[in-house]
Amino acid sequence: MVRNETPGGVAERPRGAVVRDALGVGVAVGLSGFAFGVTAAGAGISVLQACVLSLLVFTGASQFALVGALAAGGNPFTAAAGAFFLGTRNAFYGLRLSQLLALPRPVRPLAAHWVIDETTAVALAQPDRRSARLGFTVTGLSLYVLWNLTTLLGALGAEALGDTSAWGLDAAGPAVFLALLAPMLKTATERAVAALALVLGLGLLPVLPAGLPVLVAALAAPAVLWLKGRRS
């Protein structure tokens, strides 16, 4: 098969290949919304509240952080702050994607809601803008629909599972996030930030109230960059 080339000489991926990869990510991650629905119900969040979170927040790691902190007895404001801190990474994704996708201005507010780990990963993996737009759209649409549908099903079916904490479903969101993040850690600095954040987050769990360890772990990036600046 001969690929078309952009004016810059970059080979375009076949549309079918882009759609296949995007759907694979969207379906695989979208199904984990079931785990969020179950976990949210186990934390005392109503079905309506869980569904509204998925509809309006739509960033799995932040949602899991919020309900996890609440389930552990954390202060609601601390839990919300931790979720907010995790969600700020999407703003940095947006800066990169705005240049890559160059979407029409009327579409940007809607597209911004889909700027998450998975859509960013798929879009950045494409060799040209056309493929990046297609990958972003298919991933965002499939993931948004499935995530919200499975959130509803998980919240409604939580009673059938009994003790939801025994299933360990609250680890599904962070596991997906780490699986997407790991291949992107290519430099020593990026790996050092990830390692320090992991040590801070896990090490402080027994010491600090629920919701605070993730806030402290966010200091890993400036700490590593400061040390790197000192050395250079």
Side-chain angles (χ1 to χ4, degrees):
M1 181 187 305
V2 179
R3 292 184 178 181
N4 297 326
E5 290 191 355
T6 63
V10 178
E12 292 184 351
R13 290 190 68 195
R15 290 175 62 88
V18 178
V19 172
R20 182 186 64 243
D21 293 347
L23 282 176
V25 173
V27 172
V29 181
L31 292 176
S32 64
F34 180 82
F36 171 72
V38 173
T39 305
I45 294 177
S46 69
V47 174
L48 177 60
Q49 290 170 330
C51 290
V52 169
L53 274 173
S54 286
L55 284 168
L56 300 182
V57 178
F58 187 54
T59 172
S62 296
Q63 292 179 233
F64 273 105
L66 176 65
V67 299
L70 292 176
N75 183 288
F77 294 103
T78 304
F84 174 79
F85 250 95
L86 279 175
T88 55
R89 71 190 184 280
N90 295 336
F92 296 99
Y93 294 161
L95 293 175
R96 178 67 182 92
L97 289 180
S98 65
Q99 300 174 356
L100 174 63
L101 302 178
L103 295 172
R105 191 175 297 274
V107 180
R108 292 177 189 175
L110 297 175
H113 194 49
W114 287 354
V115 176
I116 54 175
D117 306 310
E118 294 79 9
T119 55
T120 302
V122 172
L124 293 179
Q126 308 308 320
D128 61 275
R129 176 169 293 165
R130 179 173 171 271
S131 299
R133 284 180 172 181
L134 179 61
F136 176 86
T137 303
V138 174
T139 305
L141 179 60
S142 59
L143 181 49
Y144 190 74
V145 171
L146 273 177
W147 179 267
N148 283 282
L149 177 61
T150 53
T151 293
L152 173 62
L153 294 177
L156 290 174
E159 291 186 5
L161 294 177
D163 182 10
T164 57
S165 62
W167 292 79
L169 295 176
D170 54 334
V176 170
F177 176 69
L178 291 175
L180 288 166
L181 179 64
M184 302 176 70
L185 302 177
K186 298 178 181 179
T187 68
T189 301
E190 292 169 347
R191 289 191 289 269
V193 170
L196 180 57
L198 181 64
V199 170
L200 289 174
L202 294 180
L204 295 174
L205 276 177
V207 180
L208 296 180
L212 285 182
V214 69
L215 298 180
V216 178
L219 299 176
V224 170
L225 292 175
W226 179 78
L227 288 175
K228 183 180 179 182
R230 285 286 298 257
R231 291 179 179 178
S232 59

